[in-house]
Amino acid sequence: MERLDRITLKGSKFTLTGPELKAGDKAPAFSLTGQDLKEVTLKDFSGKIKLVSVAVSLDTGVCDSQLRRFNEQAVSLGKDVVVLNVTMDLPFAIKRFCSTAGIDRVTSLSDHRNASSGENHGVLIKDLRLLARAIFVIDSRDTIAYAEIVPEATDSVDFEGSLKAVKELIAKGQAA
């Protein structure tokens, strides 16, 4: 499924591949690559609330800020919440970036091998083979509680909205 002109990047329109997910949808499966080059899947976080931060590339200022902000917030969310950051960056570049930036509370993963997360979550930019900036909050039963695809890729995500969704799940006892 292609969604024409769904996002812009510096004003240029781009097509996204995959479904338009919304709150209430079942979270799609994915296969990502960890910094150790091992496969990571949705099942690896079973029973946890998942805040999935999707970024274009860690080599951009907005993506850098997004990851750093969620890294700072992650400690206050508790042990039943996992924060994931997904880009198409190579695992080696992600490892270098996280080590240099002191990212130690977010699990940063790569979708470079097969773009399964990007395609399954509807954030794969067809023309560029990059991911659109997005946030998905997934409850402990793997249902999407919050979904945001940022219309202009150089704009920031709604930090407050996504963190509020996580805190509401915690309050409802959605954690393991």
Side-chain angles (χ1 to χ4, degrees), residues 90-109:
L90 294 175
F92 309 112
I94 293 171
K95 185 174 184 175
R96 182 186 80 279
F97 177 90
C98 289
S99 146
T100 302
I103 305 299
D104 57 357
R105 294 180 180 97
V106 172
T107 302
S108 294
L109 302 163

Side-chain angles (χ1 to χ4, degrees), residues 33-44:
T33 305
Q35 294 174 35
D36 58 1
L37 302 179
K38 292 183 179 164
E39 180 183 43
V40 177
T41 68
L42 180 64
K43 288 182 182 180
D44 292 326

Side-chain angles (χ1 to χ4, degrees), residues 45 48-54 66-67 69-86 103-109 135-136 163 166:
F45 306 102
K48 301 269 187 187
I49 296 169
K50 295 149 287 279
L51 188 158
V52 182
S53 168
V54 183
Q66 182 173 324
L67 177 53
R69 177 132 182 223
F70 281 125
N71 190 64
E72 290 170 7
Q73 294 293 319
V75 72
S76 68
L77 299 176
K79 63 179 177 45
D80 293 320
V81 177
V82 62
V83 181
L84 309 175
N85 191 77
V86 180
I103 305 299
D104 57 357
R105 294 180 180 97
V106 172
T107 302
S108 294
L109 302 163
I135 297 289
F136 298 95
L163 292 168
V166 169

Side-chain angles (χ1 to χ4, degrees), residues 9-166:
L9 177 63
K10 296 183 179 180
S12 296
K13 295 179 181 181
F14 288 96
T15 297
L16 294 183
T17 302
E20 182 92 26
L21 298 177
K22 62 189 178 319
D25 290 343
K26 197 70 175 161
F30 57 75
S31 174
L32 298 166
T33 305
Q35 294 174 35
D36 58 1
L37 302 179
K38 292 183 179 164
E39 180 183 43
V40 177
T41 68
L42 180 64
K43 288 182 182 180
D44 292 326
F45 306 102
S46 181
K48 301 269 187 187
I49 296 169
K50 295 149 287 279
L51 188 158
V52 182
S53 168
V54 183
V56 181
S57 174
L58 296 176
D59 287 325
T60 69
V62 179
C63 298
D64 177 312
S65 296
Q66 182 173 324
L67 177 53
R68 288 175 194 264
R69 177 132 182 223
F70 281 125
N71 190 64
E72 290 170 7
Q73 294 293 319
V75 72
S76 68
L77 299 176
K79 63 179 177 45
D80 293 320
V81 177
V82 62
V83 181
L84 309 175
N85 191 77
V86 180
T87 67
M88 287 294 237
D89 295 315
L90 294 175
F92 309 112
I94 293 171
K95 185 174 184 175
R96 182 186 80 279
F97 177 90
C98 289
S99 146
T100 302
I103 305 299
D104 57 357
R105 294 180 180 97
V106 172
T107 302
S108 294
L109 302 163
S110 175
D111 199 19
H112 86 283
R113 277 194 186 151
N114 56 24
S116 75
S117 181
E119 203 158 352
N120 294 348
H121 284 84
V123 296
L124 180 64
I125 304 172
K126 179 184 177 185
D127 319 80
L128 304 175
R129 200 171 190 282
L130 293 171
L131 303 178
R133 184 174 319 288
I135 297 289
F136 298 95
V137 175
I138 303 168
D139 73 15
S140 60
R141 295 178 197 93
D142 295 337
T143 299
I144 297 173
Y146 178 93
E148 174 194 12
I149 297 175
V150 179
E152 166 53 51
T154 60
D155 290 343
S156 295
V157 296
D158 180 0
F159 291 102
E160 290 74 26
S162 58
L163 292 168
K164 178 181 177 193
V166 169

